[in-house]
């Protein structure tokens, strides 16, 4: 197997005295889709926080292309092509749709995709480009958050709970967008509570339980794994 | 009467320029920077020093003072605010440490210049008087008004139209979201202080040029008026600070006309009191920096 594009090496994250993440290691192969699933509070977002630099791990390392980026500030990681689509979308509601997109292109001015490319990919945004982003529906805001990440032409996209709070039809749409991103060769790390959905889309999966990796392996195997089925997938 | 109003506009443009820098920092970073008046005073002294010792012509004076102000602003952010960021009481602690920074700056001015007012050379700026539509205005007043307007409109343009302004508005709304999309929040913060302090120091040198001199109490004299302007305009509102600065200048001028100049000092606070009672958000309280 070739070297992973992104790797998390025995990372520990704690908030005060609370250990949120203990000894988590993850390898993300280039072009792959890795799902990180687990219950609420299992530490999924903390792992992503460490990966994108919003949280400083207590120990362990994060590598991009083998380079140690553990101490890089977030904007530098974005510049290197590691972009987060945060939980709860975090779009800037007082800025217009177009301004949100331009903000996404901010770090990679030269290599950034054009706004019009994003409007082709997300036609719903084109119609609303001069509205304040707060005027969009939840699903549209999620599309904007994804478009805002994609306009930077990332090499790795981290999606934190992209289907949260969305109507089933929008969830389908989000997953089809994820497939589309993937088909362009961009590596995807997907954090989801919707474990079945995420594992079906992924090649590799990691299951987090109370801050530790409880299971990992090919997504298709995890989907059959009795413990995983019992705890996260239930009976369909 | 009209003459008084014209004078009010000139004074008001300095108030507005002082206030807009202060309100910029609050609007974007939620910091109350109480060193702003000291930076204002510092700008005046830097200007006098440049004019008396280095014969710097006036057209070069403003950019140099602005540059010195920007540097002071970066230093202020670095020493008084950044070390506190992330603490639970960061805003209150920053307010206190900015008072300390301002006090230090004034003490340094005191050490260097003593208590005597420092003056511009008497021939530094042509004392020309114009008659426009029956109004007597000095060239200095015209320069003051012109420069203040250009700087304030320039700031509004920068905030609403440029990539830096977009990043500033993103930080104002949600610093974490701004970080996630790749905004260098540290740099935007420093840039905000640099801009704010550049404007404050230019306002200071403008007031000193109009008075012909400055002492270390220059900032204290405008500080409370400036804060009244900011609250009148709505904290964080750039247009509000501009409008309120002019309104206050006019109100002062009218008071002097109809009552007596001893009442002048009360105007700012009477207006402030009235606004707080009637419309606590300020005249433009809903229009925040990010909507400029």
């Amino acid at each position: 197997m070739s070297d992973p594009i992104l790797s998390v090496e025995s990372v520990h994250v704690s908030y005060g005295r609370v250990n949120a993440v203990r000894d988590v290691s993850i390898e993300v192969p280039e072009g792959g889709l890795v799902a990180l699933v687990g219950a609420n509070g299992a530490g999924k977002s903390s792992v992503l926080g460490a990966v994108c630099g919003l949280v400083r791990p207590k120990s362990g390392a994060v590598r991009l292309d083998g380079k140690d980026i553990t101490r890089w500030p977030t904007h530098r990681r974005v510049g290197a092509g590691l972009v987060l689509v945060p939980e709860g979308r975090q779009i800037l509601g007082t800025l217009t749709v177009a301004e949100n997109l331009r903000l996404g292109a901010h770090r990679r001015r030269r290599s950034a995709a054009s706004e019009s490319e994003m409007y082709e990919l997300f036609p719903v945004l084109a119609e609303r480009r001069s509205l304040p982003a707060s005027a969009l529906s939840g699903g549209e805001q999620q599309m904007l958050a994804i478009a805002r990440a994609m306009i930077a032409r990332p090499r790795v996209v981290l999606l934190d709970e992209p289907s949260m709070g969305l109507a089933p039809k929008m969830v389908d749409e989000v997953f089809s967008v994820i497939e589309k991103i993937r088909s362009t060769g961009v590596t995807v790390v997907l954090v989801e509570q919707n474990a079945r959905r995420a594992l079906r889309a992924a090649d590799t999966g990691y299951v987090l339980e109370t801050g530790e990796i409880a299971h990992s392996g090919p997504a298709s195997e995890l989907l059959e794994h009795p413990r995983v089925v019992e705890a996260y997938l239930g009976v369909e | 009467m009209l003459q008084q109003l014209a004078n009010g506009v000139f004074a008001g443009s300095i108030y507005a320029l002082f206030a807009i820098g202060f309100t910029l920092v609050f609007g974007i970073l939620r910091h109350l920077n109480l060193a702003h008046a000291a930076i204002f005073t510092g700008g005046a002294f830097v200007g006098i020093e440049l004019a008396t010792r280095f014969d710097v012509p006036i057209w070069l004076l403003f950019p140099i003072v602005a540059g010195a102000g920007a540097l002071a602003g970066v230093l202020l952010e670095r020493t008084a605010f950044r070390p506190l960021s992330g603490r639970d009481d960061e805003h209150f602690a920053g307010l206190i440490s900015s008072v300390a920074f301002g006090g230090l700056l004034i003490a340094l001015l005191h050490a260097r210049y003593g208590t005597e007012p420092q003056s511009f050379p008497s021939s530094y700026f042509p004392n020309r008087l114009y008659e426009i539509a029956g109004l007597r205005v000095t060239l200095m007043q015209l320069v003051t008004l012109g420069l203040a307007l250009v700087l304030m409109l320039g700031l509004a343009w920068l905030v609403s139209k440029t990539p830096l302004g977009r990043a500033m508005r993103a930080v104002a709304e949600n610093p974490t979201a701004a970080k996630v999309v790749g905004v260098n929040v540290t740099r935007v913060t420093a840039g905000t202080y640099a801009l704010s302090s550049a404007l404050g120091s230019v306002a200071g040198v403008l007031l000193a040029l109009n008075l012909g001199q400055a002492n270390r109490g220059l900032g204290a004299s405008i500080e409370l008026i400036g804060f009244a302007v900011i609250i009148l305009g709505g904290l964080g509102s750039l247009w509000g600070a501009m409008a309120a600065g002019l309104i206050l200048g006019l109100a002062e001028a009218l008071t002097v006309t109809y009552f007596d100049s001893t009442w002048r000092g009360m105007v700012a606070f009477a207006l402030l009191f009235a606004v707080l009672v009637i419309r606590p958000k300020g005249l433009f309280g809903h229009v925040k920096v990010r909507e400029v």
Side-chain angles (χ1 to χ4, degrees), chain A residues 52 54 74-75 78 83-86 90-95 99-100 102-104 106-107 109 148, chain B residues 160 163-164 166-167 169-171 173-174 176-187 290-291:
Chain A
C52 71
L54 291 175
T74 303
H75 63 88
V78 174
V83 181
L84 173 73
V85 178
Q90 305 264 12
I91 55 125
L92 293 150
T94 57
L95 273 62
E99 282 182 321
N100 268 276
R102 269 175 240 149
L103 204 56
H106 185 82
R107 262 281 121 187
R109 229 163 285 162
R148 192 179 59 181
Chain B
S160 62
L164 174 62
R166 192 159 58 229
R169 284 178 291 137
V171 172
E173 183 182 336
N174 182 340
T176 307
K179 238 186 240 175
V180 162
V181 294
V183 173
N184 184 341
V185 175
T186 311
R187 195 187 297 165
R290 42 189 184 246
E291 285 168 26

Side-chain angles (χ1 to χ4, degrees), chain A residues 52-72:
Chain A
C52 71
L54 291 175
V55 176
R56 178 140 295 173
K58 212 169 78 186
S59 63
V62 180
R63 288 178 197 280
L64 183 68
D65 279 330
K67 239 181 295 165
D68 188 347
I69 61 166
T70 318
R71 306 204 143 267
W72 285 19

